Amino acid sequence: MHDTSRVVALVPAAGRGVRLGESIPKAFVPVGGSPMLILAIDGLIASGVVDHIVIAAPAELLDEARILLGHRAEPACPVPVSVVAGGAERTDSVRAGIAAAPQATHFLVHDAARALTPPSMIARVVAELKSGCPAVVPGLPVADTIKSVDADGEVTGTPDRSVLRAIQTPQGFDGRLLRDAYAAGMHATDDAGLVEAFGARVRVIPGDPLAFKITTPLDLRLARTLLAERDTPGRAEISEQLNTVTR
């Protein structure tokens, strides 16, 4: 049977990234010679499961984003990339991306700051979506003990970490579900939280350590080190995964 689905990846990249301590928006900070945004986009393209990519960039940097994208922004590109103006909040940027992709049957929402995400993980998210899951997110088991605390810093509880997951991106959704959740005007810290509040079931699949979010200077140093060491003898496994992203 002919597959008529259309998977559109939305990349909100309008955030300033204050915690990173750089002078430019986070998505434009270089890692291994390429901006995080380009690494993330190339990972999506390399997955082989994305039909279109929509980037929500800072309004004042739209031309710069298109220049960075180069041939990727051309209509003839096998996976065309569009650039739209993002908003003050992440949800504003995702909403702008949704509006720019009316033909999407499925959406992936992916952080540009997760620049080293393996294409194979992206493909697994889409495979779950196409199998019928309305919402799919990758996640990793939580290694640290987690405490809940009150306003005075007193511990109020210790959740069982065996049932906790640190959620990554891309987060995948049925197109109609994500559109309806955004139209309802709900609020959450991530898109999976929006569809949860809308009443949808969200499936968690195994994530990948390389899909970590580059948020702090230490994260940035780690990402740069991983890319610098990808061709170092004895680093074959990392090299194989990272070469796919940066090819």
Side-chain angles (χ1 to χ4, degrees), residues 90-91 94 109 111 114 137-138 166-169 171 173 178 182 186-197 202 213:
R90 175 190 171 88
T91 52
V94 175
V109 184
D111 296 328
R114 297 185 189 274
V137 299
I167 299 304
Q168 302 176 315
T169 72
Q171 298 186 357
F173 306 96
L178 192 63
Y182 267 84
M186 297 178 178
H187 298 281
T189 57
D190 72 343
D191 298 284
L194 281 178
V195 301
E196 289 168 40
V202 179
K213 190 174 184 180

Side-chain angles (χ1 to χ4, degrees), residues 53-203:
I53 300 170
V54 180
I55 299 167
E60 70 276 13
L61 294 176
L62 294 182
D63 290 340
E64 287 82 351
R66 293 186 180 103
I67 291 171
L68 278 178
L69 289 167
H71 71 279
R72 303 170 187 84
E74 297 174 2
C77 181
V79 183
V81 183
S82 303
V83 182
V84 299
E89 303 293 336
R90 175 190 171 88
T91 52
D92 299 323
S93 293
V94 175
R95 185 175 287 108
I98 291 172
Q103 304 303 316
T105 60
H106 301 86
F107 285 111
L108 297 180
V109 184
H110 189 40
D111 296 328
R114 297 185 189 274
L116 306 188
T117 300
S120 59
M121 193 184 85
I122 299 169
R124 286 192 285 110
V125 172
V126 172
E128 290 287 339
L129 282 177
K130 290 189 175 183
S131 74
C133 291
V136 183
V137 299
L140 292 175
V142 175
D144 296 325
T145 294
I146 304 297
K147 301 286 187 182
S148 58
V149 299
D150 61 19
D152 296 321
E154 297 291 332
V155 172
T156 60
T158 306
D160 177 5
R161 69 183 182 189
S162 70
V163 298
L164 300 177
R165 296 293 182 271
I167 299 304
Q168 302 176 315
T169 72
Q171 298 186 357
F173 306 96
D174 171 81
R176 178 176 295 180
L177 172 61
L178 192 63
R179 291 187 186 97
D180 289 348
Y182 267 84
M186 297 178 178
H187 298 281
T189 57
D190 72 343
D191 298 284
L194 281 178
V195 301
E196 289 168 40
F198 199 67
R201 294 175 63 88
V202 179
R203 177 173 173 77

Side-chain angles (χ1 to χ4, degrees), residues 31-32 34 39 116 223-247:
V31 179
S34 296
L39 291 175
L116 306 188
R224 287 172 171 166
T225 299
L226 286 170
L227 284 176
E229 293 184 347
R230 65 185 177 183
D231 296 322
T232 301
R235 302 280 181 168
E237 184 176 352
I238 291 177
S239 176
E240 180 180 354
Q241 290 177 301
L242 296 186
N243 277 338
T244 304
V245 176
T246 56
R247 186 171 292 150

